[in-house]
Amino acid sequence: MASPSSIAYNNARRVLSGNWTGCSTVPSRTLYPHQWSWDSGFVAIGLRHLSPVRAQSELESLLAAQWADGRVPHIVFNPAVPLSAYFPSPDFWRSSLAGDRAGAPTAVETSGIVQPPIHAVAAWLVHQADPAASESRGFLARLYPRLVAWQRYLTERRDLGGRGLASIVHPWESGMDNSPCWDPPLSRIEPAATATFQRADLDHGCATDRPTDLDYGRYVRLAERYRDDGYADDAGRHRFAVEDPGFNALLAASEHALADIAAAIGADPYDHQVRAEQLTTALLKRLWSQDDGLFLCHDVLAGRTVRERSAAGLLPLILPGLPDEIATALLATAAGEHFGLDGSVRLVPSYDLKGHAFDPCRYWRGPAWFNVNWLLERGLRLHGAADRADALRATLLGAAADSGFAEYVDPFTGQARGSRDFSWTAALTIDLLAEVDR
């Protein structure tokens, strides 16, 4: 009889094969039928154990759609997919026309916003899976300048607060689309009328799992304004600008990865090492809350801290340069009443268990996500909590298999929510299983 691990591995491999398009992987055949930016990063991390070359292709296909200003768009659209299959569709973003001044590609349509920069981390892990194959294809040498341009776009064009941190200009850019952290800055946005757009997500998902129409109206309005401004990041143009600790933690982690990549291809890693340290220092100085024991978002336009606890505030645990007292406080917060890792939940929720807006079912307002917990598992291990990391890894593997590789789950019960056969859940399952076998 096959072991649970081998069954999980084979089923996860089936999901990734089913969602493969020939050069990239869709997150879900139904709900998300195009290529998503940070999804492809996590997918590549899992694919490296199945086919390092296919994992390289995952990242190469995404970065082929990079804009001339360095941004990596959060969606690369497949022209074979009907416009009605996903909203906002290519005819909403109009990237090749509206993004002309920002250097949007003309050969492919994309969105105009971004997602968290996991890509340098993924590229380095993919290279390590088979250095010989990577070197023979010139993988790192070809990706390195694109990854550097991506990082510089974020550290320079997106330092909207002038505080050494990147700002997101739309909730979707955080990856944690409808987190309660965005409610205060979004309250200033007049929503687009629901009659002016047609949601496609509700055709494939339960309404109680998805953002509300009010939230969607505000998302649409923000995206419309950014588009109509030519996707410009000039000072004073944005109506939403937030420094998010999770986004910036991945930005710093990617500088560490770029230092490794630079050294591997014979370039100087020093600039990346300095930038990683600068970003970590800015995170500590600008977003750390001693009273809350985690990092909090900062509303740049309002000039104030967003007093909401999100799992994004725990993600700086992935950084090696944290002071011991900060890492210790983050570990205590993860295990405490707000995130429940030491007993009250199976997996870390996306939002504060005690928060006024907590909902175990609705998208990023409480459910547990596999990519967030995968990052936290690495952070726990990095900062000396190996036993807790082992326990989290075992729970993640069980929840992924039991839920049918769900997009996200109820943090208490592990009940599947959102889409099934979700690519990054399958990919990170394979990665965790590979770590168990080492």
Side-chain angles (χ1 to χ4, degrees):
M1 180 179 293
S3 69
S5 293
S6 64
I7 292 172
Y9 178 88
N10 289 331
N11 285 337
R13 186 172 59 181
R14 172 191 56 78
V15 170
L16 292 177
S17 295
N19 290 344
W20 176 247
T21 67
C23 63
S24 65
T25 308
V26 298
S28 161
R29 282 290 179 183
T30 54
L31 190 55
Y32 307 103
H34 301 283
Q35 183 178 22
W36 260 257
S37 172
W38 78 325
D39 292 72
S40 278
F42 289 115
V43 166
I45 288 168
L47 279 178
R48 67 190 170 119
H49 303 291
L50 302 178
S51 169
V53 171
R54 184 170 144 193
Q56 292 170 32
S57 176
E58 187 75 39
L59 295 172
E60 290 164 346
S61 63
L62 175 70
L63 289 167
Q66 186 173 26
W67 292 28
D69 65 2
R71 85 182 72 191
V72 175
H74 98 295
I75 303 174
V76 180
F77 290 107
N78 180 349
V81 173
L83 293 178
S84 60
Y86 181 80
F87 177 83
S89 52
D91 58 341
F92 173 91
W93 295 103
R94 305 172 203 161
S95 63
S96 58
L97 296 175
D100 178 63
R101 285 176 294 171
T106 57
V108 63
E109 292 296 322
T110 75
S111 66
I113 60 174
V114 303
Q115 277 188 322
I118 187 69
H119 312 92
V121 173
W124 178 241
L125 291 174
V126 167
H127 166 78
Q128 289 180 300
D130 190 341
S134 173
E135 290 169 10
S136 69
R137 297 185 71 248
F139 172 66
L140 290 183
R142 286 184 291 104
L143 256 63
Y144 177 70
R146 289 185 174 273
L147 292 169
V148 171
W150 169 219
Q151 294 284 118
R152 295 296 77 81
Y153 168 74
L154 295 173
T155 58
E156 295 171 7
R157 298 290 295 164
R158 286 297 192 85
D159 185 5
L160 302 179
R163 299 169 8 129
L165 295 171
S167 292
I168 60 170
V169 301
H170 193 290
W172 289 340
E173 293 198 320
S174 69
M176 302 185 180
D177 297 10
N178 69 324
S179 167
C181 294
W182 320 135
D183 292 353
L186 275 178
S187 67
R188 302 190 295 264
I189 306 301
E190 181 67 25
T194 55
T196 65
F197 60 92
Q198 181 66 48
R199 294 176 63 174
D201 59 318
L202 298 181
D203 295 337
H204 306 290
C206 177
T208 57
D209 289 0
R210 303 294 300 167
T212 65
D213 283 344
L214 175 61
D215 287 333
Y216 239 86
R218 287 172 168 151
Y219 303 152
V220 170
R221 179 71 73 201
L222 271 177
E224 284 176 339
R225 287 175 172 174
Y226 196 27
R227 178 198 65 201
D228 294 345
D229 278 345
Y231 298 110
D233 292 311
D234 303 324
R237 284 185 179 268
H238 292 293
R239 285 81 169 179
F240 178 102
V242 177
E243 293 165 349
D244 170 43
F247 192 102
N248 280 281
L250 288 171
L251 187 61
S254 286
E255 290 293 345
H256 284 292
L258 280 173
D260 291 329
I261 292 171
I265 64 173
D268 188 351
Y270 179 72
D271 179 62
H272 301 300
Q273 293 165 345
V274 170
R275 288 180 183 272
E277 184 177 346
Q278 290 173 335
L279 284 161
T280 301
T281 299
L283 268 169
L284 291 165
K285 184 176 180 180
R286 306 299 186 187
L287 303 185
W288 174 250
S289 171
Q290 187 65 41
D291 291 341
D292 294 282
L294 81 165
F295 293 84
L296 299 177
C297 295
H298 179 78
D299 184 341
V300 173
L301 300 183
R304 59 174 175 260
T305 298
V306 179
R307 309 304 312 187
E308 298 285 358
R309 296 179 180 90
S310 159
L314 299 173
L315 292 186
L317 271 173
I318 65 174
L319 298 176
L322 288 184
D324 289 344
E325 63 273 18
I326 301 295
T328 299
L330 283 171
L331 293 172
T333 300
E337 64 178 355
H338 297 288
F339 294 96
L341 185 57
D342 273 5
S344 62
V345 298
R346 295 187 65 192
L347 296 172
V348 174
S350 49
Y351 173 68
D352 182 3
L353 294 168
K354 301 291 184 181
H356 68 97
F358 175 78
D359 184 331
C361 301
R362 193 178 294 279
Y363 219 37
W364 288 95
R365 303 179 82 84
W369 290 73
F370 290 90
N371 64 330
V372 169
N373 279 266
W374 179 87
L375 288 166
L376 290 175
E377 190 267 353
R378 292 175 70 87
L380 292 171
R381 205 170 295 284
L382 177 65
H383 292 286
D387 289 346
R388 291 162 66 183
D390 288 345
L392 179 56
R393 179 172 60 190
T395 305
L396 270 169
L397 289 171
D402 293 345
S403 69
F405 303 97
E407 184 180 1
Y408 48 96
V409 297
D410 184 305
F412 297 107
T413 66
Q415 180 182 355
R417 314 298 309 190
S419 182
R420 309 300 191 273
D421 287 347
F422 199 71
S423 289
W424 79 28
T425 305
L428 297 178
T429 294
I430 288 172
D431 185 66
L432 290 170
L433 285 169
E435 293 298 321
V436 170
D437 292 337
R438 286 183 182 173

